[in-house]
Amino acid sequence: MMTDDNVRAETIRNKKERRNLYRIIGSYTFCIGAAIVLFWVLCAIFGRMLVPFDPFADDMLNSLSPPSTEHWFGTDQLGRDVFSRVIAGARDILTIAPLATLISAVVGTALGLVMGYSGGVVDEVTSRIVDAVLALPTVIVALLALTALGTSIVAVLFVIGFTFAPIIARTVRASVLTERGLDYVSAAKLRRESSLYIMFFEILPNIIPPIVVETTVRLGYAIFTVATLSFIGFGIQPPSPDWGLSISTNYGLIGGGYWWTVVFDSLAIASLVIGVNLMADGIQSVLND
Amino acid sequence: MAINYRLLDILRRGRSEHQNHLIDGLARGTVSRREFMRYGSVLGLSAPLLGSVAGAIGYSASVQPARAAMAGGTIRVAQTVPAAAIDPVKIADGGGITVLSQVGEALVLSGKDLTAIPVLAESWSSNKDATVWTFKLRQGVKFHNGKTMTADDVVATFDRLANPDNGSNALSVFSGLLSKGGTRKVDDYTVEFHLEAANGNFPYAVSTDNYNAVILPADYAGDFEKSMIGTGAFKLEKYTPKVGASFIRNPDYWGGPAKADRVEISFYDDYQPQILALQGGQVDIITQLPVLQGVGLLNDPNFEIISLPSSAHQQVHMRTDKDPFKDKRVRRAIALCLDRPKLVQGLMKGRAAIGNDSPFMAAYPSTDASVPQREKNIAEAKQLMEAAGMAGGFKTTLTTEKYLEIPDYAVLIQNAVKEIGGNIELNIMDQGAYYGDAVYGKSPWLDSDMGITDYGHRGVPNVFLQAPLTSTGTWNSAHFSNPEYDALAKGYIASLDLESQRAAAGKIQTLLLDETPLIFSYFYDYLTATKKGTTGVVSTAMSHLFLREASF
């Protein structure tokens, strides 16, 4: 059912997309962010093989020793090497946060498409529900849900996924509303395409840029939320070297002067979030042109 | 060591059979001086007499130099928020006990060397089979409302505590031991306790160890927080739940008025702000300091740490009725993986004593020291696993509470058993979730395959021997059921003299080492932190804080 018009639209879109891709890659903001994130992704994948010490091996008689040439970031209260743990600690957060973001992107996009395309009562009702969910602080919603569901990693994944979905849904809905009145949608309707086809094969490809931007921004928040939840004690269990968990177990030691047990994990979270946000900024500035 | 037999004979006059038996033990050398002082106090020998007897046998009495200190002023205390309303009958948490100990007193103080020190009781003695204990009360003790304390108040207090209708928390000590009506007035200053089962260590059941056993006026009708009428050295000035409390000196205190004018207590949710408050000079005392959080204060010369050896511990249970721990050889193998001296040194920063997989810590006088200490032995552990047909290792989940050093201890156990192929997953929950409803079937604490549970200090091991280990025990997380053990524990509790207690203890220790339903790696010290120069602070490992002598 390909008409000439459609083919032309496809080619124009492809060209524009390729040009945008080059511009994104050429943006300093994006590159710096991507470098930071890439560093942590590599740590997450290969970190455990490369670190100087086993991040789980305790050495009780050598606990809480300050940074030295042997232990670059010192040791924690069980004598574990903090440097190795920070490097290896990227894995949990970089598994959970992107997966949770992916869930929220998929659910949020589907929801937003339905809301925006259907309009009328469906839109009114779902929009109010989404507004209500958005009015609640994410962490509170997550805590309530986790208390009810139990605190497995899968639960954390879905809870974050579903609490972030409404935010993405709202962005998607707004984009759909502007697309809905355009000619190509009317043309598809005249061709008697099904609503599902129009939503997912006509409109969706045209609203990818805002979804990408929104998803990247959400990823930054998801990292924060995962770290927060593991700090409060939900989800990730000891002895995982997860950053949020490490901060939670060690923050009581700051008063004693053992800053190295907390500072490096905090910096790791900060750098990852900043990296993701720089990427998001880079993408956004290009796509908004 | 010259023994002055003439002096000893004079001192022996008028003593009971058990008391003289103990004196003989000291003279023969079967009982050490420390044990003599400690156990003599339980049998009701007075402190001066204990000193004289020890002196007659050639032990010199130790002299504590008194430190001069300024009187007056306000002592500011930081402590954890009491978990519930302060009600002596129901109280069960350390925070509440600290508050209560400002105004209330027990008959006996379970002192820091595990000695029983007379407080509202002046002396005590038992009949021959330890089923009736007679307590002589101190005269001239006044409640904060001006009334004099007599036997009626004591009888009413214990009847209240032994009555299941009152929701009394003391039933954990009194059920099967003392029931309502078992406490009888002999005269205004003498009370008899008629026990349901013989108990050689009964004075501890009415001591600060049983923190509910605070003597209250006979007409006490609840709502303790409003007036806090007790006999203590301080009187309530103001109590604000969740915030703090203040107390003023009780001028009529039987032991003479306190040195400080006032005590001001502030409640904190966590330990970190308490440490900061002490460092910042906003408080003078932190009631209890966990070693891990307090590690920065331990070596700081601006503060003093009162380190009380205690029987508080974190016991590891293994379900003896379920795989993979059904076979006792597996349980023993796991216990053999732990390097206890390293745990004490590393995890507890040296502020603990090594445990030997039974409640009998070395400091209890009744502990049989000839039972060999279990040490790390991977080769033996591997043999045991092989013999049990589990050379390939095992997989289990260790469930525990997020409290003090426990999460770290769990990680260390997880690492330690890797050497014998053990694969342990951790499930660390908050305390409320871990204890659940505290009944079988509704509590991860009691139902989990493997777990770690914190146990507070007791001056005698009786509670530790019963609730978590006997087949009818209410805290039996290991689901340990062994008729031989039950009989031994009952025998130990009933025995009155130290030698038979020790003989029973030896058998229990050996049996528990063989069966290993529970792992006791260490007994940790109770730490109180004070500003440098603070003197006279008396705390117990049960969270009492007595400040009558405290000053700067």
Side-chain angles (χ1 to χ4, degrees):
Chain A
M1 278 230 210
M2 268 304 186
T3 63
D4 282 356
D5 266 2
N6 266 15
V7 173
R8 207 166 304 134
E10 291 276 305
T11 355
I12 292 169
R13 198 163 61 214
N14 283 348
K15 262 190 193 157
K16 197 181 164 202
E17 273 169 11
R18 204 170 307 131
R19 200 179 62 231
N20 279 343
L21 197 63
Y22 290 136
R23 284 175 63 200
I24 289 170
I25 295 170
S27 130
Y28 284 118
T29 329
F30 179 84
C31 284
I32 295 170
I36 297 173
V37 173
L38 185 69
F39 169 75
W40 285 121
V41 170
L42 291 176
C43 286
I45 301 170
F46 303 109
R48 286 182 195 192
M49 291 171 239
L50 301 176
V51 290
F53 293 90
D54 176 355
F56 299 99
D58 59 82
D59 178 6
M60 287 309 294
L61 300 182
N62 199 7
S63 62
L64 292 175
S65 55
S68 62
T69 46
E70 197 194 354
H71 296 284
W72 297 345
F73 290 179
T75 61
D76 68 4
Q77 81 280 13
L78 296 182
R80 297 174 296 198
D81 183 52
V82 175
F83 175 73
S84 306
R85 287 180 71 76
V86 171
I87 296 296
R91 184 175 289 181
D92 281 316
I93 206 165
L94 276 178
T95 317
I96 299 175
L99 279 177
T101 315
L102 189 69
I103 293 174
S104 67
V106 171
V107 176
T109 305
L111 197 61
L113 280 168
V114 172
M115 283 158 68
Y117 184 73
S118 316
V121 183
V122 179
D123 184 31
E124 279 299 318
V125 173
T126 38
S127 287
R128 293 300 83 73
I129 295 172
V130 164
D131 285 348
V133 175
L134 289 181
L136 300 167
T138 316
V139 173
I140 305 285
V141 176
L143 282 182
L144 279 174
L146 288 175
T147 317
L149 294 173
T151 62
S152 68
I153 287 183
V154 179
V156 171
L157 215 65
F158 280 94
V159 166
I160 297 181
F162 283 102
T163 44
F164 280 12
I167 307 175
I168 294 181
R170 208 164 56 165
T171 311
V172 173
R173 174 180 168 273
S175 309
V176 174
L177 285 182
T178 51
E179 296 286 321
R180 197 173 61 172
L182 295 183
D183 290 345
Y184 75 96
V185 177
S186 312
K189 276 184 183 164
L190 284 173
R191 289 199 310 271
R192 294 172 176 263
E193 302 286 4
S194 73
S195 298
L196 275 179
Y197 182 88
I198 299 176
M199 278 191 265
F200 289 93
F201 293 93
E202 295 288 345
I203 301 181
L204 183 58
N206 289 298
I207 57 165
I208 288 290
I211 295 178
V212 169
V213 173
E214 187 62 45
T215 306
T216 330
V217 173
R218 283 310 124 204
L219 178 60
Y221 283 101
I223 291 167
F224 251 144
T225 312
V226 173
T228 307
L229 289 176
S230 60
F231 177 80
I232 310 174
F234 283 92
I236 301 167
Q237 284 283 349
S240 163
D242 176 70
W243 301 330
L245 186 67
S246 296
I247 295 173
S248 156
T249 27
N250 294 326
Y251 80 100
L253 295 167
I254 305 174
Y258 305 99
W259 52 269
W260 57 87
T261 55
V262 177
V263 165
F264 298 110
D265 289 292
S266 314
L267 288 177
I269 295 179
S271 67
L272 182 58
V273 173
I274 290 172
V276 171
N277 281 339
L278 286 176
M279 282 173 71
D281 279 355
I283 298 172
Q284 197 167 14
S285 62
V286 169
L287 296 183
N288 281 358
D289 278 352
Chain B
M1 197 159 63
I3 298 180
N4 185 338
Y5 283 102
R6 267 185 58 195
L7 180 57
L8 205 56
D9 276 345
I10 298 168
L11 293 169
R12 286 174 60 117
R13 265 175 225 154
R15 306 285 144 229
S16 75
E17 191 189 331
H18 287 297
Q19 291 169 341
N20 276 323
H21 183 74
L22 184 73
I23 295 175
D24 291 342
L26 181 71
R28 272 204 314 277
T30 52
V31 175
S32 75
R33 175 183 174 274
R34 199 178 127 80
E35 291 159 359
F36 172 75
M37 300 297 275
R38 193 270 178 182
Y39 200 68
S41 70
V42 180
L43 290 179
L45 294 172
S46 69
L49 184 90
L50 287 167
S52 310
V53 173
I57 289 167
Y59 291 103
S60 62
S62 62
V63 179
Q64 296 274 331
R67 282 164 82 170
M70 291 283 291
T74 297
I75 295 176
R76 298 160 305 167
V77 178
Q79 66 155 86
T80 312
V81 192
I86 313 283
D87 176 353
V89 179
K90 293 182 181 150
I91 207 162
D93 68 297
I97 294 167
T98 308
V99 174
L100 180 58
S101 64
Q102 304 310 311
V103 294
E105 290 176 306
L107 294 178
V108 179
L109 170 69
S110 173
K112 63 173 177 183
D113 299 329
L114 300 172
T115 49
I117 299 165
V119 182
L120 294 180
E122 252 173 349
S123 64
W124 50 85
S125 59
S126 83
N127 67 348
K128 209 171 151 189
D129 56 1
T131 52
V132 178
W133 285 78
T134 309
F135 280 68
K136 290 263 178 222
L137 304 179
R138 193 174 294 282
Q139 304 199 9
V141 175
K142 274 189 178 166
F143 286 109
H144 296 156
N145 59 10
K147 278 171 63 183
T148 306
M149 182 197 79
T150 65
D152 293 322
D153 302 306
V154 175
V155 170
T157 295
F158 287 100
D159 277 350
R160 194 183 299 121
L161 291 174
N163 185 349
D165 299 342
N166 292 336
S168 159
N169 182 51
L171 290 176
S172 60
V173 178
F174 287 149
S175 62
L177 179 66
L178 181 71
S179 52
K180 193 178 172 209
T183 315
R184 293 172 203 168
K185 175 182 173 177
V186 178
D187 60 46
D188 269 357
Y189 293 100
T190 312
V191 169
E192 272 179 6
F193 293 94
H194 293 260
L195 308 185
E196 286 168 37
N199 192 310
N201 278 313
F202 181 72
Y204 285 95
V206 296
S207 77
T208 47
D209 264 8
N210 182 0
Y211 40 78
N212 299 98
V214 164
I215 305 300
L216 300 175
D219 57 3
Y220 171 72
D223 207 0
F224 188 75
E225 280 182 1
K226 223 162 92 189
S227 51
M228 297 205 185
I229 302 293
T231 58
F234 291 93
K235 298 201 283 194
L236 179 70
E237 186 178 68
K238 190 171 175 235
Y239 178 75
T240 318
K242 307 282 174 202
V243 177
S246 58
F247 302 90
I248 46 168
R249 177 163 49 200
N250 171 11
D252 304 323
Y253 187 62
W254 56 268
K259 284 182 178 161
D261 299 325
R262 287 178 81 240
V263 171
E264 243 175 56
I265 295 182
S266 310
F267 299 151
Y268 293 84
D269 280 323
D270 207 349
Y271 293 105
Q272 200 54 30
Q274 298 185 41
I275 293 169
L276 293 173
L278 183 69
Q279 286 172 333
Q282 284 138 30
V283 299
D284 308 312
I285 298 172
I286 298 177
T287 316
Q288 190 193 0
L289 188 69
V291 68
L292 186 64
Q293 267 116 339
V295 72
L297 288 180
L298 295 183
N299 303 316
D300 190 328
N302 296 316
F303 306 102
E304 283 174 31
I305 304 288
I306 304 170
S307 202
L308 282 182
S310 88
S311 59
H313 60 271
Q314 286 152 354
Q315 49 177 254
V316 182
H317 72 255
M318 291 168 279
R319 281 285 289 264
T320 56
D321 59 339
K322 273 175 82 177
D323 278 330
F325 305 122
K326 224 171 184 168
D327 191 323
K328 66 182 178 187
R329 289 171 295 195
V330 177
R331 305 195 296 265
R332 244 154 58 198
I334 292 169
L336 282 166
C337 292
L338 300 179
D339 187 336
R340 291 152 208 253
K342 227 164 144 183
L343 278 173
V344 167
Q345 220 38 54
L347 186 64
M348 308 308 294
K349 308 291 164 220
R351 308 273 179 167
I354 291 173
N356 198 20
D357 295 343
S358 85
F360 287 97
M361 62 166 183
Y364 282 136
S366 55
T367 300
D368 184 347
S370 67
V371 175
Q373 170 66 43
R374 178 166 276 163
E375 279 162 12
K376 181 177 175 177
N377 188 335
I378 296 297
E380 195 189 331
K382 280 184 176 159
Q383 274 172 19
L384 284 168
M385 291 297 282
E386 210 163 303
M390 289 178 65
F394 64 90
K395 198 168 155 46
T396 191
T397 301
L398 191 164
T399 310
T400 188
E401 51 185 320
K402 194 173 177 180
Y403 182 63
L404 301 179
E405 297 80 10
I406 289 182
D408 288 324
Y409 184 29
V411 171
L412 293 173
I413 292 172
Q414 183 188 39
N415 277 345
V417 299
K418 280 180 188 162
E419 295 198 61
I420 57 164
N423 180 355
I424 296 182
E425 278 208 16
L426 303 184
N427 183 10
I428 295 172
M429 342 175 116
D430 71 51
Q431 276 195 293
Y434 179 65
Y435 288 103
D437 288 350
V439 289
Y440 296 108
K442 285 184 188 169
S443 159
W445 162 42
L446 297 170
D447 303 331
S448 54
D449 291 353
M450 188 181 197
I452 310 177
T453 309
D454 189 75
Y455 273 78
H457 167 79
R458 303 289 193 288
V460 283
N462 295 22
V463 170
F464 303 147
L465 288 171
Q466 293 176 97
L469 282 167
T470 54
S471 50
T472 54
T474 45
W475 302 340
N476 194 338
S477 307
H479 294 236
F480 182 57
S481 175
N482 185 315
E484 192 192 343
Y485 172 83
D486 289 353
L488 283 173
K490 202 173 166 201
Y492 170 84
I493 287 157
S495 55
L496 184 59
D497 72 281
L498 197 53
E499 275 108 6
S500 52
Q501 282 188 3
R502 194 173 286 163
K507 284 183 198 148
I508 293 175
Q509 288 168 263
T510 312
L511 185 145
L512 288 180
L513 273 175
D514 178 55
E515 289 281 342
T516 318
L518 300 173
I519 296 174
F520 296 73
S521 303
Y522 50 76
F523 295 92
Y524 61 89
D525 295 359
Y526 181 91
L527 305 180
T528 301
T530 67
K531 191 175 77 178
K532 191 166 182 62
T534 311
T535 58
V537 176
V538 176
S539 46
T540 73
M542 288 301 269
S543 302
H544 298 84
L545 183 71
F546 299 108
L547 298 170
R548 191 176 78 84
E549 295 287 330
S551 63
F552 308 114

